[in-house]
Amino acid sequence: MMDVVIRNGRVVTPGGVFEGDVGIVEERIAALGEGLRGNAEIDATGCYVLPGAIDPHVHLQMWAGDYRSSDDFASGTIAAACGGTTTVIDFVEPADAEPLLSALAARRAEADGRVAIDYGLHMTIDAWHAARPEELASLPEVVAVGVPSFKIYQAYGRLRLDDVLLHRALRAVALVGALPIVHSENGPLCEELRAEALAHGHIDPCYHALTRPARQEAEAVNRVIDIAALAESPLYIVHVSCADAVARVESARKRGEPVYGETCPQYLTLTADALDGPHGERFICAPPLRSHADQGALWAALAGGALDVLATDHCPFTADEKAGHLDFTTIPGGLPSVEARLSLAYTLGVRAGKLSLERRVEVCCTAPARIFGLARKGHIAPGFDADLVVFDPEAEVLLSADVLHEQVDWTPYEGTSLSGWPRHVFSRGRPIVRDGDYVGQPGWGRFVFRERR
Amino acid sequence: MMDVVIRNGRVVTPGGVFEGDVGIVEERIAALGEGLRGNAEIDATGCYVLPGAIDPHVHLQMWAGDYRSSDDFASGTIAAACGGTTTVIDFVEPADAEPLLSALAARRAEADGRVAIDYGLHMTIDAWHAARPEELASLPEVVAVGVPSFKIYQAYGRLRLDDVLLHRALRAVALVGALPIVHSENGPLCEELRAEALAHGHIDPCYHALTRPARQEAEAVNRVIDIAALAESPLYIVHVSCADAVARVESARKRGEPVYGETCPQYLTLTADALDGPHGERFICAPPLRSHADQGALWAALAGGALDVLATDHCPFTADEKAGHLDFTTIPGGLPSVEARLSLAYTLGVRAGKLSLERRVEVCCTAPARIFGLARKGHIAPGFDADLVVFDPEAEVLLSADVLHEQVDWTPYEGTSLSGWPRHVFSRGRPIVRDGDYVGQPGWGRFVFRERR
Amino acid sequence: MMDVVIRNGRVVTPGGVFEGDVGIVEERIAALGEGLRGNAEIDATGCYVLPGAIDPHVHLQMWAGDYRSSDDFASGTIAAACGGTTTVIDFVEPADAEPLLSALAARRAEADGRVAIDYGLHMTIDAWHAARPEELASLPEVVAVGVPSFKIYQAYGRLRLDDVLLHRALRAVALVGALPIVHSENGPLCEELRAEALAHGHIDPCYHALTRPARQEAEAVNRVIDIAALAESPLYIVHVSCADAVARVESARKRGEPVYGETCPQYLTLTADALDGPHGERFICAPPLRSHADQGALWAALAGGALDVLATDHCPFTADEKAGHLDFTTIPGGLPSVEARLSLAYTLGVRAGKLSLERRVEVCCTAPARIFGLARKGHIAPGFDADLVVFDPEAEVLLSADVLHEQVDWTPYEGTSLSGWPRHVFSRGRPIVRDGDYVGQPGWGRFVFRERR
Amino acid sequence: MMDVVIRNGRVVTPGGVFEGDVGIVEERIAALGEGLRGNAEIDATGCYVLPGAIDPHVHLQMWAGDYRSSDDFASGTIAAACGGTTTVIDFVEPADAEPLLSALAARRAEADGRVAIDYGLHMTIDAWHAARPEELASLPEVVAVGVPSFKIYQAYGRLRLDDVLLHRALRAVALVGALPIVHSENGPLCEELRAEALAHGHIDPCYHALTRPARQEAEAVNRVIDIAALAESPLYIVHVSCADAVARVESARKRGEPVYGETCPQYLTLTADALDGPHGERFICAPPLRSHADQGALWAALAGGALDVLATDHCPFTADEKAGHLDFTTIPGGLPSVEARLSLAYTLGVRAGKLSLERRVEVCCTAPARIFGLARKGHIAPGFDADLVVFDPEAEVLLSADVLHEQVDWTPYEGTSLSGWPRHVFSRGRPIVRDGDYVGQPGWGRFVFRERR
């Protein structure tokens, strides 16, 4: 007798689809079968049952200059949950001179007790730490407490690693068996182009995209691939946004190099034209939104395997925070995407014939779990955590800030009609979304110890 | 209560690995779980539990001129079973003027009642049939009885389709939603080179490879890809043997064309040098064995996704049948590989770091099931057929004709040491191999109705 | 003292441009210099002095079924001369069973005494001859009389060589040090598509292009490249018309294979839209006109070196001959281009920034001379034939059948404005065009003995 | 009547070869012809007559730390002349805060009156100057005095431009219609690897190559290509040394970007194995010598057009200066190559079937003249400077420091046998090498005003 049985759904994993029941005992999937009996039974007839999605790229209550992303660990994870995401991985960003483990403890203190779903953390290696061998020597301690992935920036002031620090950091990360995840843009060049734009009085949001052209992203992607090869390091490149960068990732993979690529819903569905619209300032994020041709290349790469993961880079700021700036350079960058990802991927990917059912699960659930060492997440099989989504393919949703749980008063997907939305969501066996309503409790989520095999 | 429970194995599917039990009721997988109880329980501790492998490319009791491949439907499927393969797909080869459905019935009559495991059949479209619209008009009837895949040859006399027939056949197959599977070699050119070789007194087996050079295979592969594009047809290319042909497949996929590629263990593990050895004549097969460099390209393509399936093209002839020919052109072509495939892929692929555990299952089990419309095969999930392999990764096997069940007195892998071999094999819930011994009954296998989704 | 001096022109060769004089003694360039004195002096101030252009691909008074191309050796070579072309290479097309040397003699009899400029001939190897070793054995005799290039067709009935004959012919040609020049289309497939089109009542000219799609051309190009590699033969592919075919040529060159490519003005300047126009039937040629995107790829290939030669495939039929057909399949195929080539290349190439001055001379003059063994043509240097063009870059010409000397009552370039046209043309030292008027005599031209080094 | 006639040579230009005479009046080529008469006549029967070669990459009397390259403007240009080079382009390297024009004047003062042949200068833009808009604003003045090419470094301390300065400098150079020529290596990364090597006690010369791996060069090449694209600048990459870097250049050209590439004789003929030899220290240069596979890729690129120029990067240091260092990092880097280039290209290129006669002239003479704006150099035509080489293809030379005129006591080509060597060399009409002996006068050479068209 199970505690809970999800009955008669079409259960999707990368290996295929079966119709049947998923049985839960306590926090784990205990059985897959037919005619399973449980103390509670949920009818999933007509629905897909998916592994809870993993979002390995979110920024909750993150300071960006004077602004803080508007979703905190509570609201952001509730929104994630409502969209079918049951694990997020956020970031630790140590201050200069702050020990990595202290920063990790501080960040955990912000999240623990507040998160609605399980979460992990990537450790950021900024320039201060990368420059100090004794700091890099502490990486094993970080890995030892369940953080085997390290964020590295090729842009953004004190976060940015120059080539030498990049090489040191990549090698240090590789040596401890961990994974570097890299924001690839040529920071100094973007700064230069921004300064020039301002000098010419170019202050509108569209200049955000024009001063971060695709070619500089491709350059940065290519550079980190080359330096990772020299450092004998694997590599995960976040938010690949353009065809030209995809081509560099593809070349590396063709040479047999262990390079992973991620893209995000915003790059698949929006274009730089949004920056010219009535609220263009809201659409500022980095890398910037690109062209239709870039979208096509990204969908093809995601379907064909040149890119591995669909994450969100969720980083919301309110309409007020985005508005009223003297020029585009002070607008806090980032978009909210954490809640709609799975449904966007279904409507615009699966229904549009661009992704198979299995590939959607692969890029949203299984691949991020495997790549980031979430040993019991991302898959539906006995012993795995009972993180599950009952996804109703017929649910019609008209996206707007009102219907979303993200703590932000606008959405870039305003007015988009989706067919397919999570009906129920379970986190470690416990219903946290029922009939589309959040029914969980803050603090249910736990920090997940991750380990790369 | 299950009928049978396989306990405590490491269950491998493309989505990942879990430790637990697989429960069987009657012919199907009824449950995956922990602590399942069954009337019979099999301990799989320390072993992998895999989906029964699919071999979509075998030639049993096939006439090749005056010879018939030495494994009949009984012996060949027993050997397959012992190696962990629980479904094979063989071929119907209608004679000129023979209706396709009659030929199918005749071929089924040879197999039904004799096969040890489930089987399917591909229908061959030879030149006689391809040239007749009324014959191509009968393809829907063939699909309707569970045969949604059609073999097409670019070589071999009456089997060979010229460009026009190729175009017609591909389009006809595509129109009925079926899959063309193509032997890609430039037949007329190979015949010409053979005639030339003989004219120069070049009769030794090595001339078999020299008269079927990699470049002619690449040409044929490229041609059928181009013609399939014109015919708006998907395409499955069997036994891709060389780097140059892989490159052509890769280009097509990069253009987004639905082209699948298969390779075989012999191309991954042997080279044309074998043709110069003491029993060089035995190693004659088409395409011929190639070079070490080609092997590397094939492994990389199989791991990276440029090739989809590892099948065998199993087609054994005895040492006597192979020997004593006046020249290489009359030696019956084909190698036995059906039994060792899964273990070769483990030792030389997984253990050697060339394939992941999951990718091995993908290319040997899941992908062929999905591509060829075996809706209940190739995956471990409730409702799927209980075709299962308990694979002991520590079993040591020294390959020789003696230890194999293939009905042929030699093996191309003579002397190869493998680590890992199937311990138990189940076919639709029934043990057919126990502790390495075949314990099934001829005729247990059934014809499988296939349907491409 | 020279016989003739062309003074003060800007003399263009692939090595650069110099301002000065070209001195002629009898039939040869005797000197390049400054202040040369001659019995006759021509002022070329403000003009370019170019090597007489070579058109290695023309079809004069050629039978195509019941039609004969409307330019005979006299009119066609006069038109060529007026456009700045001083050498053409036409074709010998032996009938079945006709000895190659007899056919050559017959063709020479048609041309000798009538041609206005020098000419060469390619020998065609049709299927009848290619199938007979004794005929292929006569190739050295053909080479010995100055014909070291052989036309091969992958399309067109009795002209078409299948793969085996193609291999034999390529090898035979390579063995005598000659060059195969190949019409690359998949003939049987085009025939099939035409028959289908007719069966559907698709009779309009646009179906000509639709039944000869770019992909079939790419296939044929790829095939002959692969077979040439097996035959260890160099290769010259005529009238490459599309991006996809260019890509295959480029791949071969990147592998270091000796493959040359040619394109023609019609493919650089017209598109398949012309077939839908009021006189669509006139624009039928094979390969057919393609798309704007294909044009871009061809210009880039011509400029960047992936294609070597700009020839014309000049093959005019009158408006009446083109008109009034029941369907597109009986319309004689071919366009007139021989006269405007050099000027089209100047206005649409050099002035448009797509070709340098030097590259225009390379692809129209120097490369065809080098590739086809015209040892004393295509270059301006002492000892070379005094085949020279004084090209006025400021001459404005509005193209129409009226202003052209081609013996055909229409031009595909009707209404095109060109800036730049030949003012004077010399053939072996003799003025044959003066101030734009033909002033030569029929029969001045001679058969040129060609030899490949 | 000419002043000098070179009679009966085989005159080679990119457009072809003719046999005849080259007539000189005063400093220019006055006529090409047959039977020219001159006050002096030189018999060139059996010899090639080539344009005097251009070496756009030499470092004479250049300070490298405490060392100065051992050839001064006199000795270096005499050696160049003896090897058939009649123009060199050297570099101006302004000190920090030194005005560009002052530095140019100073450098000219070193050369004028001493050079045996004509010379030009590239202006170096170091970090100090690149960072100052007012300095970049002086580029037009530099161009105005005949220096339309600017050297930029991605390595070497104060010379190195970071990405922002690189972008500024490239744009500034492009804006004045000049050409940036770039040393592409990732300087900081090489510094890091050197420091690490030393820290491990790795002091031998072979570590020079190991700490400047091919991949870092490829990275730098790719980066500057991307940044040049953003800056809308053409680009000339000096001393491309490896296959990986060639591939990046090729990609750029395939995208239609104006990127030129140069390689040097040392990369075509020597490998990193030399660093392990008895005098390994002598072979230190940057980029370092590479592998045999890299050589193959470079030859193919030079022949096929992916690379444009064969220059030398001539920068000799004596055996004593090279020897006796505590570790490899203080050894002055650079090899002598200026004298043997043309002959190495003949013996190892033309005779070995890797380059045609015309292509050798193109890459050694015509292309550098065209790319670097030497309007009257690099070609044999009336009005061009009478810089000419009578090259005897049968002259046998066994290379050693003794037979060379370079002012350095060793040569990397010690013991290499060459077939083909310049017999006579003319600089602006004046014989400066006669029968292999230098017969010129210091100071004959002049600074050449260059202008890019």
Side-chain angles (χ1 to χ4, degrees), chain A residues 146-450:
Chain A
V147 175
S149 51
F150 293 84
K151 179 73 174 285
I152 287 171
Y153 289 85
Q154 295 182 267
Y156 293 137
R158 59 172 283 280
L159 293 175
R160 172 180 171 262
L161 303 196
D162 63 21
D163 296 359
V164 166
L165 295 184
L166 192 53
H167 183 257
R168 286 187 200 169
L170 289 171
R171 196 163 53 179
V173 171
L175 274 174
V176 298
L179 181 69
I181 69 173
V182 181
H183 176 124
S184 257
E185 287 193 291
N186 187 319
L189 209 48
C190 292
E191 288 305 316
E192 170 84 352
L193 296 176
R194 283 156 74 102
E196 279 180 7
L198 292 187
H200 288 80
H202 296 151
I203 61 173
D204 293 334
C206 64
Y207 288 99
H208 174 72
L210 294 171
T211 57
R212 303 184 95 83
R215 195 68 183 258
Q216 63 80 21
E217 181 187 344
E219 188 284 313
V221 165
N222 190 85
R223 186 192 319 194
V224 72
I225 287 171
D226 281 339
I227 296 181
L230 290 167
E232 299 182 12
S233 174
L235 194 60
Y236 177 96
I237 298 174
V238 296
H239 50 46
V240 172
S241 78
C242 59
D244 208 352
V246 167
R248 316 286 171 116
V249 172
E250 234 173 351
S251 291
R253 295 171 77 113
K254 202 158 178 174
R255 289 190 296 260
E257 297 168 7
V259 176
Y260 303 102
E262 167 196 294
T263 191
C264 310
Q266 53 271 33
Y267 301 114
L268 292 168
T269 61
L270 307 172
T271 71
D273 292 345
L275 293 162
D276 289 317
H279 290 295
E281 74 280 1
R282 296 184 184 169
F283 292 86
I284 282 179
C285 59
L289 301 176
R290 304 286 187 195
S291 71
H292 268 290
D294 288 307
Q295 284 184 2
L298 292 172
W299 276 114
L302 202 59
L307 294 177
D308 304 89
V309 169
L310 179 63
T312 68
D313 194 13
H314 179 74
C315 190
F317 294 96
T318 65
D320 269 5
E321 290 170 325
K322 290 272 194 178
H325 291 259
L326 285 178
D327 67 59
F328 70 90
T329 65
T330 57
I331 300 169
L335 302 181
S337 271
V338 78
E339 191 167 351
R341 173 178 58 137
L342 207 51
S343 292
L344 286 165
Y346 184 71
T347 297
L348 303 177
V350 177
R351 282 190 182 263
K354 291 175 181 164
L355 289 182
S356 68
L357 278 170
E358 291 93 338
R359 184 70 187 154
R360 180 177 64 139
V361 164
E362 182 88 31
V363 299
C364 292
C365 314
T366 314
R370 185 182 64 243
I371 291 169
F372 289 107
L374 291 158
R376 290 207 309 258
K377 305 282 192 190
H379 190 31
I380 299 181
F384 277 70
D385 284 348
D387 293 354
L388 293 161
V389 179
V390 177
F391 188 89
D392 178 0
E394 304 304 331
E396 299 287 331
V397 174
L398 182 63
L399 288 180
S400 75
D402 290 346
V403 306
L404 294 169
H405 299 76
E406 296 162 345
Q407 188 166 288
V408 56
D409 54 351
W410 69 284
T411 172
Y413 309 107
E414 186 74 34
T416 300
S417 272
L418 298 182
S419 295
W421 196 261
R423 181 184 292 174
H424 311 304
V425 180
F426 293 78
S427 168
R428 277 181 283 105
R430 177 164 170 173
I432 57 172
V433 174
R434 186 177 293 147
D435 288 320
D437 294 326
Y438 176 65
V439 297
Q441 288 180 351
W444 164 256
R446 294 189 203 135
F447 176 78
V448 188
F449 186 99
R450 296 181 293 118

Side-chain angles (χ1 to χ4, degrees), chain C residues 89-257:
Chain C
I89 315 182
D90 203 293
F91 297 84
V92 184
E93 291 193 358
D96 284 1
E98 185 180 16
L100 300 180
L101 289 180
S102 307
L104 176 57
R107 188 65 168 160
R108 287 201 50 182
E110 294 182 333
D112 290 336
R114 311 203 64 221
V115 286
I117 55 175
D118 290 349
Y119 79 103
L121 292 169
H122 306 291
M123 176 60 67
T124 302
I125 303 180
D126 61 18
W128 192 91
H129 292 81
R132 285 166 176 74
E134 65 278 16
E135 296 294 328
L136 295 178
S138 73
L139 298 195
E141 299 167 27
V142 178
V143 172
V145 294
V147 176
S149 52
F150 292 84
K151 180 72 174 289
I152 287 172
Y153 289 85
Q154 294 181 268
Y156 293 138
R158 59 171 283 282
L159 292 175
R160 174 182 169 260
L161 304 196
D162 64 22
D163 296 359
V164 166
L165 296 184
L166 193 53
H167 183 258
R168 285 187 200 168
L170 290 170
R171 195 164 52 180
V173 172
L175 275 174
V176 298
L179 181 69
I181 69 173
V182 181
H183 176 124
S184 258
E185 288 192 291
N186 187 318
L189 211 48
C190 292
E191 287 305 316
E192 171 83 352
L193 296 175
R194 283 156 75 102
E196 278 179 7
L198 292 188
H200 287 80
H202 296 150
I203 59 173
D204 292 336
C206 64
Y207 287 99
H208 175 71
L210 294 172
T211 57
R212 304 185 95 84
R215 194 68 182 259
Q216 64 79 22
E217 181 187 343
E219 189 283 314
V221 165
N222 188 86
R223 185 192 317 194
V224 72
I225 288 171
D226 282 338
I227 295 180
L230 290 167
E232 298 181 13
S233 174
L235 193 61
Y236 178 95
I237 298 175
V238 296
H239 51 45
V240 173
S241 78
C242 60
D244 208 351
V246 167
R248 316 288 170 114
V249 172
E250 234 173 350
S251 291
R253 294 170 78 111
K254 204 159 176 174
R255 289 190 296 261
E257 297 168 6

Side-chain angles (χ1 to χ4, degrees), chain B residues 171-222:
Chain B
R171 196 164 51 180
V173 171
L175 274 175
V176 298
L179 181 69
I181 68 173
V182 181
H183 176 125
S184 258
E185 288 192 293
N186 187 318
L189 210 47
C190 292
E191 287 306 315
E192 170 84 351
L193 296 175
R194 284 155 75 102
E196 278 179 8
L198 293 187
H200 287 81
H202 296 150
I203 60 172
D204 292 336
C206 64
Y207 288 99
H208 174 71
L210 293 172
T211 57
R212 303 185 94 83
R215 194 68 184 258
Q216 64 79 21
E217 181 187 344
E219 189 283 312
V221 165
N222 188 86

Side-chain angles (χ1 to χ4, degrees), chain C residues 4 6 24 42 52 86 386-390 424-433:
Chain C
V4 181
I6 299 172
I24 300 168
I42 310 284
T86 52
D387 292 353
L388 294 161
V389 179
V390 177
H424 310 305
V425 179
F426 292 79
S427 168
R428 279 183 280 107
R430 177 165 171 171
I432 56 172
V433 175

Side-chain angles (χ1 to χ4, degrees), chain D residues 32-263:
Chain D
L32 308 182
E34 291 168 350
L36 299 183
R37 306 306 308 267
N39 295 319
E41 300 188 358
I42 310 284
D43 181 27
T45 304
C47 290
Y48 292 111
V49 180
L50 313 175
I54 316 289
D55 192 340
H57 192 171
V58 301
H59 297 283
L60 302 178
Q61 57 188 77
M62 181 191 78
W63 285 106
D66 296 337
Y67 302 92
R68 195 169 204 187
S69 61
S70 60
D71 263 320
D72 56 27
F73 274 106
S75 69
T77 54
I78 289 169
C82 292
T85 293
T86 53
T87 309
V88 293
I89 314 181
D90 203 293
F91 297 83
V92 184
E93 291 194 355
D96 285 359
E98 185 180 14
L100 300 181
L101 289 179
S102 308
L104 175 58
R107 188 65 167 160
R108 284 201 52 180
E110 293 182 331
D112 290 335
R114 311 202 65 220
V115 286
I117 55 176
D118 289 350
Y119 79 104
L121 291 170
H122 307 290
M123 177 60 67
T124 302
I125 302 179
D126 63 18
W128 191 93
H129 293 80
R132 286 167 176 75
E134 65 278 17
E135 296 294 329
L136 293 179
S138 72
L139 298 195
E141 300 167 28
V142 178
V143 172
V145 295
V147 176
S149 53
F150 292 85
K151 180 73 175 285
I152 288 172
Y153 288 85
Q154 296 181 266
Y156 293 136
R158 60 171 283 279
L159 293 175
R160 174 183 169 260
L161 303 197
D162 64 23
D163 296 358
V164 167
L165 296 183
L166 192 52
H167 183 257
R168 286 186 200 169
L170 289 171
R171 198 165 47 181
V173 171
L175 274 174
V176 298
L179 181 70
I181 69 172
V182 182
H183 176 126
S184 257
E185 287 193 293
N186 187 317
L189 210 47
C190 292
E191 288 306 315
E192 170 84 350
L193 296 175
R194 283 156 75 102
E196 279 179 8
L198 292 187
H200 287 81
H202 296 150
I203 59 172
D204 292 336
C206 64
Y207 288 99
H208 174 72
L210 294 171
T211 57
R212 303 185 96 84
R215 195 68 182 257
Q216 64 79 23
E217 181 187 344
E219 189 283 313
V221 165
N222 189 85
R223 185 191 318 195
V224 74
I225 287 172
D226 282 338
I227 294 180
L230 290 167
E232 299 181 12
S233 173
L235 193 61
Y236 178 95
I237 299 174
V238 297
H239 50 44
V240 173
S241 78
C242 59
D244 209 352
V246 168
R248 316 286 171 116
V249 172
E250 235 174 349
S251 290
R253 294 171 77 112
K254 203 159 177 174
R255 289 189 296 260
E257 296 168 6
V259 176
Y260 303 102
E262 165 197 296
T263 191

